[in-house]
Amino acid sequence: MKQWDQFLAPYKLAVEELKVKLKGMRRQFDHEDDHSPIEFVTGRVKPIASILDKANEKGIPLDKLETEMQDIAGLRMMCPFVDDIIRVVELLRQRNDFEIVEERDYILHRKESGYRSYHVVIVYPVQTINGEKKLLVEIQIRTLAMNFWATIEHSLNYKYKGQFPEDIKMRLQGAAEGAFRLDKEMSLIRGEIQDAQAFFNRKKENDKNN
Ligand code: 0O2
């Protein structure tokens, strides 16, 4: 157990630091009164049981986890609209506090399950008492609708251990299609939504000042 704590400590550090940094991006948009392409950010270190399951499934030896498991540290950035995703990816590409080593576009290439999301794998340096450690970290960027679908599917997956009954599988595929259509509709009325958001932000500011 102590060995796992030691192994995971730099990953915990990376997740905490990146949460502050990525949430900071959102705050900057708020200060500039610009529409934020980031709705919220979450982060987690993969639980030990999931690391072991995935290593077993993919045949990754435990002494190769550092180089072969890309999502021990994971961040998620949720965006209001599909168009915001590429904007966020571009912002990540411009940063110089980490290096992007891989991008996987499951929006253009939706997974068979119906899963959609944009994955960016980075190498992130953390400073430890034993010197610098460069870690792989996966950032998943998705819309609120994609996140809703993935969260529900993920918990069902846990329940059925990946072996969905046929009817549930069909329903999930239907729901994925629904989430896709919702994203499309929301993009179409994006202008309207943004005007309303700007109106409410101004109202909130006025109420605060009065
Ligand atoms: P958790 O619990 O989210 O940490 P793969 O072989 O496709 O499973 P790989 O090669 O690691 O995985 O890369 P991928 O697919 O880019 O990233 C895997 C992660 O993406 C998953 O982590 C999920 O978070 C998410 N993901 C991928 N496919 C699906 C899917 O069909 N449904 C849902 N809900 N999420 C998905 P883990 O390891 O599953 O675990």
Side-chain angles (χ1 to χ4, degrees):
M1 214 51 201
K2 191 159 175 270
Q3 260 180 337
W4 274 111
D5 284 346
Q6 264 172 3
F7 174 72
L8 293 177
Y11 288 96
K12 285 187 181 145
L13 202 57
V15 169
E16 289 314 313
E17 288 182 12
L18 282 162
K19 265 205 286 194
V20 171
K21 291 182 177 193
L22 302 181
K23 284 181 183 184
M25 285 165 69
R26 198 228 133 107
R27 221 161 292 126
Q28 282 172 41
F29 280 103
D30 286 347
H31 289 147
E32 290 183 17
D33 237 359
D34 193 1
H35 157 76
S36 173
I38 305 159
E39 191 68 30
F40 66 97
V41 175
T42 61
R44 61 98 187 96
V45 173
K46 212 177 185 60
I48 299 170
S50 308
I51 296 178
L52 290 173
D53 280 351
K54 191 163 184 169
N56 190 26
E57 214 176 279
K58 294 191 168 261
I60 302 174
L62 293 187
D63 59 352
K64 293 264 164 56
L65 285 176
E66 235 173 78
T67 48
E68 291 186 24
M69 197 171 288
Q70 296 177 324
D71 65 342
I72 294 176
L75 278 297
R76 260 179 209 150
M77 303 177 80
M78 267 54 73
C79 308
F81 304 103
V82 179
D83 286 351
D84 292 326
I85 294 176
I86 195 63
R87 207 167 150 211
V88 170
V89 173
E90 267 155 18
L91 290 171
L92 296 179
R93 287 181 187 143
Q94 280 166 24
R95 294 187 70 107
N96 53 22
D97 50 348
F98 51 73
E99 187 199 345
I100 295 181
V101 288
E102 207 172 319
E103 293 185 19
R104 287 194 285 275
D105 184 350
Y106 298 125
I107 297 174
L108 207 58
H109 308 285
R110 188 189 313 194
K111 284 203 172 186
E112 207 198 324
S113 58
Y115 179 75
R116 288 183 305 138
S117 204
Y118 197 100
H119 293 191
V120 172
V121 181
I122 62 170
V123 171
Y124 183 72
V126 282
Q127 307 303 316
T128 76
I129 50 171
N130 303 313
E132 183 175 271
K133 212 165 168 46
K134 290 188 169 178
L135 301 173
L136 287 170
V137 177
E138 183 178 82
I139 307 177
Q140 301 180 344
I141 306 131
R142 38 170 90 152
T143 62
L144 298 168
M146 293 174 194
N147 189 51
F148 179 40
W149 182 91
T151 307
I152 303 294
E153 197 258 6
H154 192 272
S155 27
L156 283 175
N157 211 339
Y158 190 74
K159 179 174 170 192
Y160 291 107
K161 297 186 173 63
Q163 304 296 313
F164 289 120
E166 204 49 36
D167 61 325
I168 304 271
K169 198 170 155 186
M170 299 273 283
R171 277 194 191 281
L172 280 170
Q173 276 165 354
E177 200 46 49
F180 174 75
R181 281 204 309 275
L182 178 62
D183 272 335
K184 224 163 141 185
E185 281 300 318
M186 287 303 185
S187 295
L188 291 174
I189 52 172
R190 173 178 193 156
E192 295 283 332
I193 295 170
Q194 277 172 359
D195 285 350
Q197 273 170 346
F199 173 79
F200 282 117
N201 285 344
R202 276 199 305 274
K203 188 169 178 314
K204 219 163 53 189
E205 247 346 271
N206 283 342
D207 291 350
K208 217 163 52 188
N209 295 333
N210 291 329

